[in-house]
Amino acid sequence: MEKPTPPADGECCECGCEPCVWDSYYEEMHAWNAEQKRLKEAEAEQAKKQTEPTSNNG
């Protein structure tokens, strides 16, 4: 998922439209941030698994 880009200058008409282009942008940013957090947590979990010593119950 690519990071959303904010609306260009003049894209918002400033008339209070619903949904405003900024509303859409903020929703996309929220989803992008959640995805980034999920990926970072998964990466940290994977790194943790690789650095944990393996137990030998033999």
Side-chain angles (χ1 to χ4, degrees), residues 1-4 26-39:
M1 172 184 271
E2 286 187 38
K3 185 175 182 177
Y26 290 129
E27 286 177 17
E28 291 170 7
M29 278 300 296
H30 179 74
W32 184 83
N33 284 324
E35 177 70 5
Q36 295 306 302
K37 180 180 178 182
R38 186 191 67 75
L39 291 172

Side-chain angles (χ1 to χ4, degrees), residues 3-52:
K3 185 175 182 177
T5 54
D9 289 344
E11 227 178 313
C12 175
C13 65
E14 299 182 25
C15 290
C17 300
E18 288 211 20
C20 176
V21 293
W22 284 102
D23 295 332
S24 300
Y25 169 71
Y26 290 129
E27 286 177 17
E28 291 170 7
M29 278 300 296
H30 179 74
W32 184 83
N33 284 324
E35 177 70 5
Q36 295 306 302
K37 180 180 178 182
R38 186 191 67 75
L39 291 172
K40 191 173 190 176
E41 288 171 351
E43 186 177 284
E45 184 65 29
Q46 185 66 26
K48 181 180 174 184
K49 286 180 182 179
Q50 290 177 353
T51 59
E52 288 178 347

